[in-house]
Amino acid sequence: MIIPSELGYGSRGAGNGAIPGGATLYFVATLEAVTRKTQEAPQKDSKGKDVKENGKCKDLKLVKKGDKVTMSSRVSLLSANVNGRIVPGTTIDTSTDTIKVGDKQVIKGWDDGVVGACQGEERRIVVGPNLAWGERGIQGVVPANATVVIDVKIDSVERDLVFNFLDQISSGTFRRGG
């Protein structure tokens, strides 16, 4: 990535002279994972309760770290990337699981990829080896340094309401009902 001076630090530079004024910045970046919404969450869940309010996902239905999430998923090896279109290959797992987000019950790229999803939403998460099974892989199932494709549907989101209340108090986002 190249950032010209006028979009970077300009004539003032930065870092007490480490980056001189007028410098063009060069960054080498590695894309570790990509998450894409493939299906919007519905307005109501299977019990007829609202998932969205004014077109936006209700906070208690939006996946956050620490939430208990039940999800249906298919994990595949990446077969090809044809003109930016991801093509899943061999399926290595299809299941419905309940996890606590952030507790390392699934690979890091998967954990990160569900945060911010709304209950009922479907996502495709493409995870590179550094956030998947890395150099080790899984013998006989996932080769070393494999990229995986995870198609996931968020079936339900449950939040510890006491933890949620304390989090809102500490972050200053608590609102009294009216």
Side-chain angles (χ1 to χ4, degrees):
M1 182 174 10
I2 301 171
I3 301 176
S5 174
E6 60 273 10
L7 296 177
Y9 295 107
S11 60
R12 69 183 186 286
N16 294 326
I19 301 173
T24 297
L25 306 174
Y26 296 87
F27 295 92
V28 176
T30 303
L31 188 60
E32 300 283 354
V34 176
T35 301
R36 184 172 65 91
K37 187 184 309 181
T38 56
Q39 180 71 43
E40 284 283 342
Q43 184 65 35
K44 296 184 181 292
D45 66 15
S46 60
K47 296 175 186 167
K49 293 187 178 186
D50 285 334
V51 172
K52 293 182 171 182
E53 194 170 65
N54 299 322
K56 291 181 70 177
C57 189
K58 291 175 116 180
D59 185 64
L60 287 176
K61 298 299 179 184
L62 190 69
V63 178
K64 294 182 180 178
K65 187 177 177 181
D67 286 345
K68 184 173 144 185
V69 174
T70 300
M71 59 187 152
S72 305
S73 59
R74 184 183 76 201
V75 182
S76 309
L77 298 175
L78 177 67
S79 174
N81 180 344
V82 180
N83 296 328
R85 189 178 178 315
I86 300 299
V87 181
T90 305
T91 298
I92 57 176
D93 181 59
T94 301
S95 61
T96 298
D97 301 291
T98 300
I99 66 161
K100 185 172 181 182
V101 178
D103 271 10
K104 300 180 181 179
Q105 295 172 296
V106 293
I107 58 173
K108 182 165 178 23
W110 192 343
D111 240 355
D112 293 347
V114 297
V115 171
C118 187
Q119 180 174 304
E121 183 177 306
E122 295 179 29
R123 287 185 169 193
R124 172 164 283 173
I125 308 165
V126 181
V127 184
N130 289 338
L131 298 178
W133 288 279
E135 293 177 0
R136 292 184 325 269
I138 299 175
Q139 189 172 0
V141 181
V142 179
N145 296 313
T147 295
V148 294
V149 179
I150 304 164
D151 290 304
V152 63
K153 179 180 182 197
I154 306 299
D155 297 318
S156 70
V157 178
E158 296 177 39
R159 183 159 308 140
D160 181 325
L161 295 179
V162 172
F163 176 78
N164 186 58
F165 174 72
L166 294 173
D167 185 51
Q168 288 178 2
I169 295 286
S170 67
S171 68
T173 59
F174 177 73
R175 292 177 294 148
R176 237 183 240 282

